[in-house]
Amino acid sequence: MSKIIQSLSQIGADYDVLFCDLWGCLHNGKQPYPAAVAALQAFRAGGGKVVLMTNAPRPNQFVIAQLDRMGVPRDAWDIVVSSGDAAQEAMFAGAVGRKVWHIGTEKDDGFFDDIPGEFADAPPIHRVSLEEAEGIVATGPFDELTETPGDYHDRLMAARDRGLPMLCANPDVIVDMGETRIYCAGALAEYYEGLGGQSLYFGKPHPPIYDRARRLLDLVPDARILAIGDGVFTDVKGALDQGIDALFVTGGLAADALGPDVENPDLALLLDWLGGHALAPQYSIGRLR
């Protein structure tokens, strides 16, 4: 059973480190949530460490620049770890070949152009047409505001017939940008698998992103970690698979299913909804605060 709490401070003293999601928890894609920022600042003031862990398909420095533009203060976090970091490492190692068809927007160009030092001498990655490609790299739709996975049916069928693997740089299926719900690379990867294609995932709930966070913070094996997020199949499942506690933010992606008050989820609806997904985070909260 998940316990509903009213603030992070109720349980914060029980943990050394937070793995905190961004979209739907710290910001809405356009502006930060002041109460969430204050909660993270208070946790750090008490001696805790905060990892902002995101399925953004860009290297962490691009995520940090976006947070700065939004006005998220740097004293609210210690490090940023993105799925783009883990996926980029796999791409430069040749996971889907050296000639790739990129599905994504120009804002994700840094995924290809900002080359980690350890791969500076590796054979280059070339973005080519689908017809020339050895594999696919998906960072999101070409037009994330209007397109759905179904818009890619014919092209992905052609890719499947050629046996092209897809590297998914963002396992999220959907996120909310302000009031607009948009599809992410995870939706494309799932659709491709449904057609019989092969998709490789990096980011929550998969292990590489958690391993990277632990390594960067040099965490001891018995560090007390709490994962915070609004994605039941990414944040919550990832935490439970890692054997760490989870705080589910109900006022994000699942808000419409859990009662009329976003700040205060209906307990009966919450438990029924979580039971239907066979997942049980230790704690739940309307909004991170």
Side-chain angles (χ1 to χ4, degrees):
M1 178 180 291
S2 187
K3 178 182 178 180
I4 294 178
I5 62 172
Q6 295 303 311
S7 71
L8 178 62
S9 62
Q10 290 178 241
I11 59 173
D14 296 332
Y15 299 97
D16 306 307
V17 181
L18 303 180
F19 287 174
C20 185
D21 185 37
L22 294 183
W23 286 57
C25 296
L26 183 58
H27 65 69
N28 67 357
K30 295 184 176 180
Q31 58 190 13
Y33 298 125
V37 170
L40 297 186
Q41 290 172 320
F43 182 81
R44 293 187 72 242
K49 298 288 187 181
V50 174
V51 178
L52 298 184
M53 182 175 286
T54 173
N55 275 354
R58 294 171 291 284
N60 67 78
Q61 63 267 33
F62 294 95
V63 178
I64 291 170
Q66 181 186 35
L67 293 173
D68 288 343
R69 290 193 297 271
M70 282 188 192
V72 177
R74 292 206 174 192
D75 66 350
W77 53 271
D78 291 275
I79 64 171
V80 175
V81 178
S82 73
S83 62
D85 296 328
Q88 189 185 49
E89 182 176 349
M91 180 185 70
F92 280 106
V96 292
R98 298 288 167 187
K99 295 180 180 180
V100 302
W101 179 49
H102 174 217
I103 309 175
T105 66
E106 289 184 1
K107 70 181 180 182
D108 297 329
D109 283 351
F111 185 83
F112 299 90
D113 300 337
D114 190 69
I115 302 175
E118 62 266 36
F119 294 113
D121 297 326
I125 300 295
H126 299 285
R127 282 187 279 180
V128 299
S129 67
L130 173 58
E131 291 73 22
E132 301 173 89
E134 300 168 340
I136 305 167
V137 173
T139 59
F142 290 123
D143 186 340
E144 59 188 15
L145 295 179
T146 64
E147 291 184 328
T148 71
D151 294 323
Y152 293 81
H153 180 271
D154 291 348
R155 286 168 287 183
L156 293 181
M157 285 288 286
R160 181 210 64 183
D161 291 344
R162 292 177 52 209
L164 302 187
M166 176 187 287
L167 186 153
C168 175
N170 175 2
D172 283 351
V173 174
I174 54 173
V175 295
D176 290 329
M177 180 181 288
E179 300 300 318
T180 303
R181 181 154 292 187
I182 63 177
Y183 286 99
C184 302
L188 296 172
E190 286 188 1
Y191 190 82
Y192 190 46
E193 285 186 318
L195 297 176
Q198 177 191 14
S199 295
L200 308 175
Y201 294 90
F202 297 86
K204 299 174 288 185
H206 306 280
I209 194 169
Y210 299 94
D211 295 341
R212 181 176 178 84
R214 288 187 174 96
R215 184 171 68 250
L216 291 175
L217 278 186
D218 195 23
L219 296 182
V220 297
D222 60 350
R224 301 173 301 168
I225 303 170
L226 177 69
I228 303 172
D230 69 327
V232 69
F233 292 121
T234 51
D235 302 299
V236 175
K237 185 178 187 302
L240 299 181
D241 287 350
Q242 289 289 311
I244 61 179
D245 289 354
L247 172 58
F248 177 46
V249 178
T250 66
L253 293 172
D256 291 345
L258 302 176
D261 186 349
V262 172
E263 298 284 346
N264 296 285
D266 182 286
L267 179 59
L269 290 175
L270 172 64
L271 296 180
D272 183 65
W273 189 85
L274 289 171
H277 291 81
L279 291 167
Q282 286 77 10
Y283 303 102
S284 294
I285 191 169
R287 294 281 197 190
L288 179 59
R289 54 185 178 261

